[in-house]
């Protein structure tokens, strides 16, 4: 009987289920969107029951459409939107509040106070994270402080906290398991990435009782067998990792110094730094890449808020493009950017600039500037932002970046990839299978059950679609980067 791996890819806007075969090829995909709930400006919630029901539905659909059944599934892997926070009753499995999504800003003020009270350094040393509402800790605190009776129940050990992986695990095992993996734990701001345990000082600071927390396990091991009736048979859940970490593994960036960037709405660059956490002086995040065979591997992460989203903006708000893919031809219709620079700071700037008051700007316009120049400047801006993060990583680690693996919707744009290779003076490698997030956790699950023999076998499955090599001379590169930074300075502090 043929055996496959089922990945549950629980994202911010949709739940997906993907079935992979032993060659790491996609056999079947099912996807369902779910509601985004905005109770107030800057608040973002999901209904945990919808996260569960859509995830269960797509799992069943994918299996049915593939013409197989649960007995054909060797293992399940779970990868998920990170940091999003769910609190449920231990006894009944009922959520006591909606999931507070990573994008939610309701705890910004509390986080700012932590910074002014001088906690940032201690928190960064323990967790590798920059103090921000983004992470789970302040969200759990908010739920305990604001849901009636929650704090009392938490003290009595009657509540469970979990990120989305934990929540799905609880549901798929009929509440038998309350666990998470180290990558997800490392995004909560309650987990000490050096001692690999929940940190008592942080638990006290955020006022979260230890009894609420899931057991932290490795990213690749048999957590439990499923206990739902959904699959008509028990299937081991054997791999868990946050989405960006899973993508790093799916890209087989398994040696120190290897990195991948995902070009979606935003851009996420992750670099494997090996068995030692690299603490950043440039506001990058230190995080756990995975825990495998008793070994913890660390990564350095930097993100760009507006990546492919700037192309959406050209399409939907300016109407310059009909389809995102038209950007490539239009950009190539001019010789260069014509001196035009676009800083896509519509929601401020992320790493390494970190300016929440920066705003979008277009500079260097002349009478001859056309929509082609603006489109080219928009694509270039994605590249410059990623290049700034790469340079910060090199400064933080002393490692030289010579190649980068890429994935995400925007990597279809070959102009973008070529310019990225040019600006980083590095090889940019686009693999054949771009479902790297789902693939990564499929690999982690498959390794745990012996579906694949080891990393060497997985490396042999990874294959290149296209490589892009630098074609730009140093003088032009530094000229572009110089002008870009001049433009960034103009955009900074705009709405202060
Ligand atoms: P997400 O997972 O964040 O929703 P995807 O990985 O699906 O994002 O990528 C979609 C993003 O990529 C969109 O922001 C879109 O504008 C951009 N995009 C898609 N195709 C292209 C292209 N050919 N050139 C440039 N950008 C593109």
């Amino acid at each position: 009987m043929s055996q496959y791996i089922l990945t549950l890819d629980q994202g911010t806007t949709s739940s997906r289920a993907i079935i992979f075969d032993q060659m790491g090829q996609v056999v079947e995909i099912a996807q369902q969107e779910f509601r985004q709930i905005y109770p107030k400006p800057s608040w973002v919630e999901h209904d945990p029951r919808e996260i569960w029901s859509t995830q269960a539905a797509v799992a069943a659909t994918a299996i049915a459409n593939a013409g197989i059944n649960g007995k054909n599934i060797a293992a399940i892997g779970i990868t998920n939107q990170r940091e999003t926070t769910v609190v449920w009753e231990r006894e009944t499995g009922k959520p006591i509040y909606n999931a507070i999504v990573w994008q939610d800003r309701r705890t910004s003020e509390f986080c700012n106070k932590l910074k002014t009270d001088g906690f940032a350094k201690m928190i960064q040393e323990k967790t590798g994270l920059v103090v921000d509402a983004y992470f789970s800790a302040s969200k759990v605190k908010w739920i305990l402080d604001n849901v009636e009776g929650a704090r009392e129940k938490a003290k009595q050990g009657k509540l469970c906290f979990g990120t989305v992986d934990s929540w799905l695990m609880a549901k798929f095992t009929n509440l038998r398991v309350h666990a998470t993996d180290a990558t997800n734990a490392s995004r909560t701001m309650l987990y000490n990435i050096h001692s690999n345990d929940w940190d008592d000082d942080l638990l006290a600071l955020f006022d979260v009782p230890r009894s609420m927390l899931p057991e932290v396990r490795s990213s690749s091991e048999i957590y439990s067998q499923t206990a739902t009736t959904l699959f008509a048979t028990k299937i081991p859940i054997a791999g868990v990792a946050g989405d960006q970490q899973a993508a790093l593994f799916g890209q087989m960036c398994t040696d120190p110094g290897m990195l991948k960037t995902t070009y979606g709405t935003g851009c996420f660059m992750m670099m494997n730094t090996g068995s030692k956490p690299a603490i950043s002086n440039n506001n990058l995040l230190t995080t756990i890449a995975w825990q495998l065979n008793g070994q913890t591997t660390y990564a350095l992460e930097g993100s760009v808020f507006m990546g492919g989203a700037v192309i959406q903006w050209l399409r939907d708000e300016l109407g310059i493009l009909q389809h995102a893919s038209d950007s490539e031809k239009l950009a190539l219709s001019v010789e260069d950017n014509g001196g035009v620079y676009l800083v896509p700071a519509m929601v401020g700037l992320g790493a390494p600039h970190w300016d929440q008051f920066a705003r979008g700007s277009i500079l260097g316009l002349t009478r001859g500037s056309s929509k082609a120049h603006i489109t080219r400047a928009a694509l270039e801006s994605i590249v410059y932002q990623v290049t700034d993060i790469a340079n910060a990583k090199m400064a933080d680690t002393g490692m030289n970046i010579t190649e980068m693996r890429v994935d995400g919707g925007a990597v279809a744009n070959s102009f973008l990839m070529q310019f990225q290779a040019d600006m980083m003076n590095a090889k940019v490698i686009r693999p054949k299978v771009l479902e790297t997030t789902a693939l990564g956790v499929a690999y982690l699950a498959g390794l745990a059950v012996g579906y694949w023999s080891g990393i060497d076998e997985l490396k042999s499955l990874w294959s290149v679609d296209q490589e892009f090599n630098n074609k730009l001379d140093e003088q032009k590169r530094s000229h572009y980067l110089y002008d870009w930074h001049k433009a960034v300075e103009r955009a900074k502090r705009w709405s202060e």
Side-chain angles (χ1 to χ4, degrees):
M1 184 164 44
S2 302
Q3 291 285 296
Y4 303 91
I5 303 289
L6 171 65
T7 292
L8 309 175
D9 180 1
Q10 207 303 306
T12 308
T13 57
S14 73
S15 296
R16 305 198 311 154
I18 305 184
I19 297 173
F20 291 97
D21 67 15
Q22 203 141 13
M23 299 305 293
Q25 297 294 319
V26 174
V27 173
E28 194 61 54
I29 300 186
Q31 176 164 359
Q32 235 184 63
E33 293 194 359
F34 54 85
R35 265 186 321 145
Q36 306 292 312
I37 303 166
Y38 306 109
K40 289 186 187 178
S42 90
W43 289 29
V44 189
E45 298 178 359
H46 295 154
D47 182 340
R49 293 165 307 177
E50 278 179 41
I51 290 182
W52 156 243
S53 63
T54 52
Q55 195 61 71
V58 291
T61 306
I63 289 175
N65 287 351
I68 58 175
N69 65 50
K71 292 201 175 76
N72 301 95
I73 305 293
I76 290 176
I78 301 177
T79 182
N80 55 291
Q81 52 166 322
R82 302 175 301 172
E83 297 100 11
T84 296
T85 299
V86 189
V87 177
W88 65 93
E89 288 176 354
R90 189 180 303 280
E91 201 46 42
T92 62
K94 273 207 189 116
I96 64 162
Y97 191 77
N98 274 340
I100 302 185
V101 178
W102 56 272
Q103 299 156 323
D104 189 292
R105 307 299 306 169
R106 80 185 65 183
T107 56
S108 290
E109 219 166 283
F110 173 74
C111 291
N112 278 341
K113 185 156 186 320
L114 286 178
K115 281 194 250 181
T116 50
D117 290 351
F119 287 107
K121 187 158 181 285
M122 178 271 265
I123 293 175
Q124 192 200 18
E125 278 169 5
K126 286 173 182 283
T127 66
L129 306 174
V130 174
V131 176
D132 195 275
Y134 184 23
F135 305 102
S136 317
S138 63
K139 301 180 195 291
V140 191
K141 176 174 165 45
W142 189 94
I143 291 176
L144 294 182
D145 288 343
N146 290 278
V147 176
E148 212 187 312
R151 194 157 281 291
E152 202 44 46
K153 278 192 199 157
K155 276 199 190 120
Q156 296 162 357
K158 290 182 176 165
L159 296 183
C160 296
F161 150 72
T163 39
V164 168
D165 55 307
S166 257
W167 166 243
L168 288 176
M169 178 95 60
K171 294 302 282 178
F172 275 104
T173 61
N174 248 334
L175 307 181
R176 280 182 207 161
V177 180
H178 181 211
T180 189
D181 93 302
T183 69
N184 277 295
S186 76
R187 313 297 296 191
T188 58
M189 201 166 261
L190 296 170
Y191 190 70
N192 188 314
I193 60 170
H194 310 281
S195 65
N196 274 304
D197 190 11
W198 302 113
D199 188 282
D200 287 323
D201 295 337
L202 296 173
L203 294 180
L205 184 63
F206 288 96
D207 207 359
V208 174
R210 193 178 257 270
S211 64
M212 286 183 79
L213 301 173
E215 181 193 356
V216 184
R217 298 172 64 173
S218 79
S219 315
S220 176
E221 65 176 68
I222 297 180
Y223 278 67
S224 172
Q225 307 285 326
T226 55
T228 61
T229 49
L230 196 67
F231 303 118
T233 178
K234 292 188 165 81
I235 306 174
I237 299 173
V240 181
D243 52 10
Q244 295 307 319
Q245 282 92 336
L248 189 69
F249 197 73
Q251 288 272 29
M252 282 288 105
C253 292
T254 48
D255 298 319
M258 292 182 81
L259 79 159
K260 72 87 202 171
T261 298
T262 300
Y263 296 75
T265 308
C267 297
F268 296 87
M269 183 191 281
M270 246 200 194
M271 180 192 226
N272 180 331
T273 61
S275 57
K276 291 214 168 55
I279 297 296
S280 176
N281 295 314
N282 292 291
N283 282 319
L284 301 176
L285 306 178
T286 307
T287 198
I288 293 180
W290 48 76
Q291 240 172 40
L292 185 62
N293 300 329
Q295 285 266 323
T296 302
T297 299
Y298 294 89
L300 209 51
E301 176 175 330
S303 24
V304 165
F305 301 142
M306 291 281 283
V310 68
I311 301 303
Q312 275 170 350
W313 179 74
L314 292 187
R315 186 192 62 192
D316 301 341
E317 309 310 321
L318 297 193
I320 289 180
L321 307 167
Q322 198 163 15
H323 305 287
S325 55
D326 298 340
S327 60
E328 182 168 357
K329 210 164 144 211
L330 197 54
L332 285 168
S333 71
V334 286
E335 205 171 309
D336 56 26
N337 63 18
V340 178
Y341 288 82
L342 189 160
V343 185
M346 285 71 161
V347 292
L349 288 170
H353 306 289
W354 291 108
D355 183 343
Q356 55 178 324
F357 301 110
R359 284 299 173 267
S361 320
I362 303 179
L363 294 122
L365 294 173
T366 62
R367 282 297 294 270
S369 303
S370 68
K371 64 180 180 183
H373 291 113
I374 291 177
T375 302
R376 186 155 176 144
L379 287 170
E380 288 189 2
S381 77
I382 301 174
V383 167
Y384 296 135
Q385 294 180 93
V386 168
T387 305
D388 282 343
I389 293 181
N391 289 338
K393 280 193 184 169
M394 289 198 276
D396 279 339
T397 60
M399 290 180 190
N400 192 25
I401 296 173
T402 55
E403 61 172 62
M404 174 167 80
R405 299 182 175 189
V406 296
D407 52 58
V411 303
N413 190 315
S414 294
F415 166 77
L416 185 73
M417 296 298 101
Q418 180 57 52
F419 195 62
Q420 190 69 73
D422 291 343
M423 286 310 298
M424 275 171 62
N425 189 12
K427 185 182 292 202
V428 167
I429 308 173
R430 184 167 67 195
K432 281 208 177 100
V433 176
L434 290 173
E435 291 290 352
T436 53
T437 302
L439 185 61
V441 84
Y443 283 166
L444 290 165
L447 284 175
V449 297
Y451 186 74
W452 287 293
S453 58
I455 300 239
D456 286 341
E457 184 185 357
L458 298 179
K459 278 185 175 167
S460 75
L461 300 178
W462 186 85
S463 62
V464 175
D465 168 51
Q466 197 174 339
E467 286 184 4
F468 300 85
N469 290 291
N470 170 39
K471 289 185 184 157
L472 202 65
D473 64 56
E474 184 56 42
Q475 207 188 346
K476 269 201 174 147
R477 182 179 312 116
S478 44
H479 163 78
Y480 286 146
L481 213 53
Y482 179 82
D483 278 357
W484 158 253
H485 286 141
K486 218 160 64 171
V488 168
E489 281 312 310
R490 302 281 203 276
K492 278 187 178 170
R493 300 175 295 280
W494 181 261
S495 70
E496 210 163 34

